[in-house]
Amino acid sequence: MAIPLLATPKIPCQLTSCNLFRVRSLSSHTSSPLNLTAPLSDPPTSPEQPLSDVLDLDNTEKLFSSVKTRTLVTSLLNLYAMAVDPLVKFGTKLIQSPVVMENRISRAVMVGAVRSTVYKQFCAGETTEEVSETVTRIWKRVGFRSILDYAVEDAENGDAARRNLEGFERTVDMAAALPPTSASMCVKITAICPINLLERISDQLRWNYKNPTFELPWRTHCFPVLSDSSPLYLTSSRPEPLTDQELHDFELAQERLNGLSKQCAKSNIMLLIDAEYASVQPAIDYFTYLVALKFNKEQPVVCGTVQAYLRGAKDRLEMMMKSGENEGISIGIKLVRGAYITRETRMASSLGVPSPIHGSILETHRCYNECASFLLEKVRDGSGAVVLATHNSKSGKLAAVKAEELGIRKGDNKLQFAQLMGMADGLSLGLRNAGFQVNKYLPFGPVDNVIPYLVRRAEENKGFLSTSVQDRQLIRKELTRRLKR
């Protein structure tokens, strides 16, 4: 529900050190296909302290005390509508239909319908003023921080990348003008570097991992971005070296991210770099740790993202943290379950190889919780920071219990939680009431520009929207209580 109112110096790279962090390969050949219909529940655990004692989601009067009845009703209606799969499919088809979107009148009607429904539910506003008002409102009234998401899609060329960068730079300026610590921001590397170049860089990194004699003259750091359990099959043959033009574009992309990171560091704003599909993730991680090595000396200004639905997530996470400790930097990680199930499954199927994604939703839950536990220990030890992005209440409760067991101070900025705007607000409020730092992920921008983002969310969150009923149950329970007063 929408709550009224988240050019570095070169480092010597020896072939031997680049491969120190490889780990045992995890077999993917015997796993079953991903089951999206399995119940959204985590493996049973038995912590010493009952989960409900740390994170109370049952007392809806306390949970929704800062939310108006009108907002609860609107949110409940939206959530029910979005849980109807045929309705979501019909809506996304209409939005993507050239017949509808290329006609001026029908497009205006469609954009208006989107603006008053899903856009209002999931997005913070179209203008700087609207977004600033949303961030300030939820910060002052509810105590949530915001992660600003300038909702643009992949850049196909250098011109698009430059335009997108300007939007991200304006986002930093906006965040800097907001109340201190109320907002951070995220960036898509695919929005500031042409997608085909990221694919080429990823191919080179994968081939170098499989064949260390394959030289990467452009590589300036050896931070591990691959493991034996990564989908190395995506590069099946030796790639050609980067051309002079590609090297030039590569340097420009590095300069863009470096400048953005410097701007965030100067304004004390955390920069979260989104994870994306496996075909470009190695390049994204390379860019991420290129700037992390420079800006994370004292605190984690730059945070990378690990997707727990990937079989190699735990391997890569352990390697990253160990390497960060060796480099003397604080590694920041945003931990998510993952959002490209359809794309990854189709890609693996087309290549005739096993999917890089865990074989069941329960395996993904297990991996997420294990990774979260590992990262919380690193927070306790002072060598890492984590943003636990999850809509799963069991994962939230397990993390809350673990944090208490480890003695992590609840106001510690190195432990934060995050949920999408308009989703899992019961969990967000429960975590806030328990004293933890909570962010809402706020996409923003003109409706026309954000529609591709909304379509992708609709397609990739079908499982969540149709099977997670907790928010609807909590809202219904609170509305019933209010009506009986």
Side-chain angles (χ1 to χ4, degrees):
M1 93 208 116
I3 294 180
L5 308 142
L6 116 174
T8 59
K10 289 197 173 184
I11 301 172
C13 178
Q14 302 298 324
L15 287 174
T16 53
S17 64
C18 283
N19 294 285
L20 283 176
F21 302 100
R22 293 190 182 181
V23 294
R24 178 178 57 87
S25 174
L26 297 178
S27 173
S28 61
H29 293 276
T30 58
S31 299
S32 58
L34 183 65
N35 179 9
L36 294 178
T37 62
L40 278 171
S41 58
D42 288 322
T45 58
S46 300
E48 292 182 4
Q49 187 173 12
L51 300 184
S52 58
D53 287 357
V54 180
L55 188 60
D56 181 12
L57 301 183
D58 295 323
N59 186 345
T60 59
E61 181 178 7
K62 179 180 179 182
L63 201 63
F64 296 113
S65 61
S66 57
V67 185
K68 296 179 180 178
T69 299
R70 179 179 59 190
T71 302
L72 288 175
V73 172
T74 301
S75 297
L76 184 61
L77 292 174
N78 283 335
L79 289 172
Y80 267 117
M82 287 179 289
V84 180
D85 191 51
L87 182 61
V88 173
K89 287 181 178 179
F90 178 72
T92 54
K93 283 183 179 179
L94 276 182
I95 291 173
Q96 295 173 300
S97 169
V99 175
V100 173
M101 301 308 285
E102 291 177 7
N103 179 279
R104 183 174 59 85
I105 296 176
S106 61
R107 180 181 181 86
V109 171
M110 179 59 66
V111 169
V114 170
R115 179 183 286 111
S116 62
T117 54
V118 291
Y119 185 92
K120 187 176 181 180
Q121 179 80 10
F122 296 120
C123 302
E126 296 190 69
T127 66
T128 298
E129 291 75 18
E130 290 175 354
V131 178
S132 297
E133 181 183 349
T134 299
V135 172
T136 303
R137 188 164 61 241
I138 66 174
W139 169 250
K140 290 183 176 179
R141 294 187 185 179
V142 191
F144 289 160
R145 300 181 178 190
S146 297
I147 299 174
L148 299 175
D149 179 10
Y150 177 53
V152 292
E153 293 299 299
D154 300 343
E156 297 297 333
N157 52 52
D159 289 339
R162 283 191 294 273
R163 288 194 300 271
N164 290 340
L165 176 66
E166 292 171 358
F168 288 119
E169 290 172 338
R170 290 193 296 271
T171 302
V172 180
D173 291 337
M174 176 171 58
L178 291 165
T181 73
S182 66
S184 54
M185 65 170 287
C186 63
V187 64
K188 286 163 53 80
I189 299 296
T190 53
I192 61 174
C193 180
I195 188 73
N196 60 336
L197 179 56
L198 291 172
E199 290 172 345
R200 291 273 287 128
I201 296 168
S202 295
D203 279 338
Q204 299 226 338
L205 288 166
R206 278 188 290 263
W207 195 256
N208 170 262
Y209 185 88
K210 293 193 290 185
N211 302 274
T213 57
F214 179 71
E215 296 184 1
L216 302 176
W218 46 263
R219 188 170 188 170
T220 58
H221 71 76
C222 297
F223 210 94
V225 298
L226 292 162
S227 73
D228 289 350
S229 50
S230 298
L232 302 174
Y233 56 76
L234 289 170
T235 305
S236 58
S237 61
R238 181 187 179 95
E240 292 295 321
L242 297 181
T243 65
D244 290 342
Q245 182 61 52
E246 286 175 328
L247 288 170
H248 175 68
D249 292 342
F250 184 25
E251 291 175 0
L252 286 177
Q254 292 181 61
E255 290 174 7
R256 292 182 191 116
L257 184 59
N258 190 70
L260 196 61
S261 301
K262 184 177 181 180
Q263 190 182 359
C264 286
K266 183 178 179 180
S267 301
N268 194 30
I269 294 168
M270 186 167 61
L271 179 64
L272 298 100
I273 298 179
D274 285 345
E276 302 192 51
Y277 15 95
S279 61
V280 296
Q281 192 59 45
I284 291 171
D285 286 340
Y286 177 84
F287 276 106
T288 298
Y289 298 107
L290 181 72
V291 290
L293 286 165
K294 183 174 183 178
F295 293 100
N296 285 16
K297 294 294 184 181
E298 296 180 2
Q299 60 181 350
V301 173
V302 177
C303 289
T305 300
V306 170
Q307 301 182 99
Y309 72 173
L310 295 174
R311 299 179 191 277
K314 186 73 180 296
D315 289 350
R316 290 174 49 247
L317 183 58
E318 291 175 347
M319 291 160 53
M320 290 173 189
M321 299 307 295
K322 183 176 181 180
S323 187
E325 292 168 358
N326 290 340
E327 295 287 350
I329 64 172
S330 180
I331 295 294
I333 295 292
K334 178 178 61 153
L335 182 65
V336 303
R337 275 174 169 75
Y340 298 95
I341 293 173
T342 302
R343 184 185 181 107
E344 300 294 3
T345 302
R346 287 176 179 170
M347 174 66 77
S349 178
S350 69
L351 296 174
V353 295
S355 172
I357 298 172
H358 288 297
S360 72
I361 191 67
L362 294 180
E363 289 178 84
T364 294
H365 289 331
R366 184 178 296 109
C367 181
Y368 185 95
N369 293 331
E370 289 176 354
C371 289
S373 179
F374 171 77
L375 286 168
L376 287 170
E377 291 174 358
K378 295 301 179 182
V379 171
R380 188 268 316 273
D381 296 340
S383 61
V386 62
V387 177
L388 295 174
T390 180
H391 295 155
N392 186 282
S393 60
K394 185 70 174 293
S395 290
K397 291 178 179 180
L398 289 170
V401 169
K402 181 73 173 182
E404 286 214 345
E405 289 176 349
L406 294 173
I408 298 174
R409 184 172 55 88
K410 289 184 179 178
D412 192 334
N413 286 329
K414 290 188 175 181
L415 167 59
Q416 299 184 40
F417 291 85
Q419 288 80 40
L420 289 169
M421 180 177 181
M423 283 188 175
D425 288 331
L427 175 59
S428 299
L429 291 163
L431 287 164
R432 179 212 61 180
N433 290 347
F436 293 101
Q437 303 291 330
V438 179
N439 297 268
K440 297 303 282 188
Y441 216 80
L442 271 57
F444 71 92
V447 176
D448 280 358
N449 296 350
V450 178
I451 281 178
Y453 167 90
L454 294 172
V455 169
R456 179 164 59 84
R457 282 294 177 195
E459 291 176 343
E460 293 292 349
N461 283 288
K462 288 175 185 175
F464 172 80
L465 291 170
S466 63
T467 62
S468 178
V469 299
Q470 184 177 47
D471 261 352
R472 301 197 298 274
Q473 290 174 337
L474 290 173
I475 296 172
R476 194 168 59 243
K477 178 181 177 181
E478 174 57 13
L479 287 173
T480 300
R481 186 196 68 78
R482 292 185 185 188
L483 287 171
K484 290 180 177 180
R485 285 188 305 184

